[in-house]
Amino acid sequence: MTDTVHIHADWKSLNHVHEELCGDRVMIRRDDKSFVMVLADGLGSGVKANILSTLTSTIISEMVFSGMDLTEAVETITATLPVCQDREVAYSTFNIIQIFYDGRAAVVQYDSPNAVFIRGFSLYHPEEEHIEVSGKPLTIYHMNLQPDDYIIMFSDGILYAGTEMELNLGWGQKEVEEFLASEIRPGDSPGEVARILLANVNALYGGAPGDDSTVACVHAIPASETYVMIGPPKDKEADQEVVRKLLSATGKKICCGGTTASVVGRFIGREAVTDQDSMRPDVPPKAFMDGIDLVTEGLLTLQKVSRWLTKACDDRDFLEELRTSREQDGASCLTRELLEATSVTFLVGLSDNAENNSISSLKDKIALIRDISYCLQKVGVICRIECK
């Protein structure tokens, strides 16, 4: 399978006024073959709705991610979900997106608002399939995703915004679609799309949302792979092979470590020029080299990146700070490049650098890269580690 697109994804929520927990839940799973996102909306609000939506999104994403057919996964979960006898609706509704990196995509809607598709910054309507599962109508959209396509899913709190306060003024599915088509700008991140829509929804609610409101957005970008070379190979005869691989990156080309930069510079006939303005008390300066997108110091910079990413895995606000930071020190630049990438391959050299005695062994160096890779994968970046 040839990758044609990779996926950036994000989501944001407004809680029902006076509720600490959101009754909507978004679950994202991905590997190097496919991407799965589930938005579940638990009936009502508060703790009960949160539990139901969490169970629903977790179970569905796990089933689909493990290879179960979409309709089979829906049949399984709808047979499992309890139904409210008074209102005759499921205790949790949901949307599912599954995208393969060759562009094949499917969106499943179960008793929830229609997803919005944007292509070329205009509304796009993919092929629809209508079936019935467990007595409930199900809509499945099929499409071949293209770079710069957006898919936006949302809970029904978005459609009901302002209804009870008479601020709605006809705000519904059609108006939401037109709003998104007019507001999305080239380069907008999924998080920015969600923020823009929720800001309008919050205004319609008068700052006191009468229902949980969640927006989940995916943005298809051209498939590319960032390479990060960290240390020279154990065998000097492999230097040229690894440098050629670094230079073949379709995404960013990054060097970590002075020795690494020297090896790369020798083969491309360039020198690394230190950027003294980027020096910080706890981060060595980065450098510039023609043909390479970023050159940083090695050990201290990577350790700081690892600490930041570890914190970001459990703190969405801190993750957003890292992504939007304008700091120009080596650690900040490297962190941003890694988080902006969709696929990263770490080219880890097995040559032991005796000068870096802060890392007791090569094993510890590799463990550090694995920690960074683990954190990146938790926030949605596909990672590979190649040792030479």
Side-chain angles (χ1 to χ4, degrees):
M1 182 175 69
T2 301
D3 289 359
T4 58
V5 296
H6 282 153
I7 303 299
H8 277 164
D10 204 353
W11 57 273
K12 297 184 186 299
S13 296
L14 293 174
N15 292 6
H16 187 293
V17 64
H18 305 313
E19 293 287 359
E20 293 186 8
L21 292 176
C22 186
D24 304 332
R25 182 65 184 230
V26 177
M27 187 68 65
I28 296 174
R29 297 288 304 274
R30 69 172 92 206
D31 58 14
D32 58 358
K33 294 176 183 161
S34 71
F35 165 93
V36 174
M37 174 188 271
V38 179
L39 166 57
D41 180 355
L43 183 63
S45 60
V47 175
K48 184 177 180 180
N50 177 269
I51 292 172
L52 287 165
S53 63
T54 299
L55 286 172
T56 301
S57 59
T58 302
I59 293 170
I60 293 177
S61 60
E62 183 61 36
M63 287 190 296
V64 174
F65 194 73
S66 64
M68 183 179 289
D69 180 75
L70 280 172
T71 53
E72 187 179 352
V74 172
E75 287 174 354
T76 302
I77 195 66
T78 52
T80 304
L81 284 173
V83 174
C84 176
Q85 298 302 318
D86 294 333
R87 297 162 66 173
E88 296 185 351
V89 295
Y91 272 112
S92 182
T93 61
F94 53 84
N95 280 334
I96 309 169
I97 294 177
Q98 183 176 32
I99 300 170
F100 294 93
Y101 301 129
D102 62 355
R104 290 175 295 134
V107 178
V108 177
Q109 292 177 186
Y110 177 77
D111 211 16
S112 54
N114 295 335
V116 178
F117 304 86
I118 305 290
R119 173 171 289 175
F121 302 99
S122 300
L123 292 172
Y124 167 71
H125 299 284
E127 174 189 346
E128 295 182 25
E129 177 186 2
H130 299 277
I131 62 175
E132 189 173 288
V133 175
S134 300
K136 278 285 196 179
L138 196 73
T139 302
I140 306 177
Y141 297 95
H142 299 279
M143 62 189 300
N144 286 315
L145 216 58
Q146 298 178 7
D148 264 340
D149 282 355
Y150 289 86
I151 304 175
I152 304 101
M153 305 187 299
F154 45 88
S155 59
D156 57 12
I158 301 295
L159 298 182
Y160 301 149
T163 301
E164 296 179 359
M165 303 178 63
E166 298 184 357
L167 294 174
N168 188 288
L169 302 176
W171 176 263
Q173 180 73 37
K174 179 174 180 290
E175 287 70 31
V176 172
E177 292 178 359
E178 291 176 349
F179 176 85
L180 287 168
S182 64
E183 292 296 326
I184 293 178
R185 297 287 182 267
D188 277 351
S189 69
E192 178 66 5
V193 172
R195 187 197 66 76
I196 291 170
L197 180 54
L198 283 179
N200 195 66
V201 167
N202 195 43
L204 288 172
Y205 274 124
D211 193 7
D212 297 307
S213 303
T214 297
V215 180
C217 177
V218 301
H219 179 208
I221 62 175
S224 65
E225 188 165 23
T226 290
Y227 281 103
V228 184
M229 183 174 171
I230 304 169
K234 184 175 182 179
D235 184 353
K236 286 189 176 183
E237 292 184 1
D239 285 358
Q240 187 171 5
E241 174 191 345
V242 176
V243 171
R244 281 179 175 170
K245 188 155 196 174
L246 173 70
L247 298 177
S248 72
T250 52
K252 297 297 179 68
K253 306 169 184 63
I254 300 172
C255 289
C256 293
T259 306
T260 310
S262 297
V263 171
V264 174
R266 186 170 70 249
F267 281 98
I268 67 175
R270 300 284 190 273
E271 288 188 7
V273 179
T274 302
D275 175 17
Q276 296 294 348
D277 292 338
S278 67
M279 182 178 288
R280 299 291 182 271
D282 56 345
V283 182
K286 62 182 182 181
F288 300 108
M289 181 186 292
D290 288 345
I292 302 298
D293 295 291
L294 178 63
V295 179
T296 74
E297 180 270 345
L299 171 63
L300 297 176
T301 301
L302 289 167
Q303 287 178 331
K304 195 165 191 69
V305 169
S306 179
R307 287 194 296 270
W308 282 346
L309 291 176
T310 298
K311 180 181 178 181
C313 285
D314 300 315
D315 187 338
R316 283 171 55 84
D317 290 337
F318 184 64
L319 176 61
E320 189 68 15
E321 286 181 27
L322 293 176
R323 282 177 167 155
T324 58
S325 167
R326 295 186 179 182
E327 295 294 330
Q328 293 301 308
D329 62 274
S332 296
C333 290
L334 179 56
T335 302
R336 278 198 305 274
E337 294 290 4
L338 294 176
L339 289 173
E340 289 174 1
T342 52
S343 177
V344 176
T345 295
F346 293 99
L347 305 172
V348 182
L350 298 181
S351 175
D352 200 3
N353 188 349
E355 295 180 4
N356 286 342
N357 52 21
S358 296
I359 288 186
S360 59
S361 69
L362 193 58
K363 181 179 178 181
D364 293 331
K365 170 186 172 182
I366 295 173
L368 176 63
I369 304 306
R370 284 178 175 163
D371 288 343
I372 291 174
S373 177
Y374 173 76
C375 292
L376 288 172
Q377 291 184 94
K378 283 189 71 175
V379 299
V381 181
I382 301 167
C383 293
R384 303 177 184 86
I385 299 174
E386 297 181 9
C387 297
K388 194 75 173 179

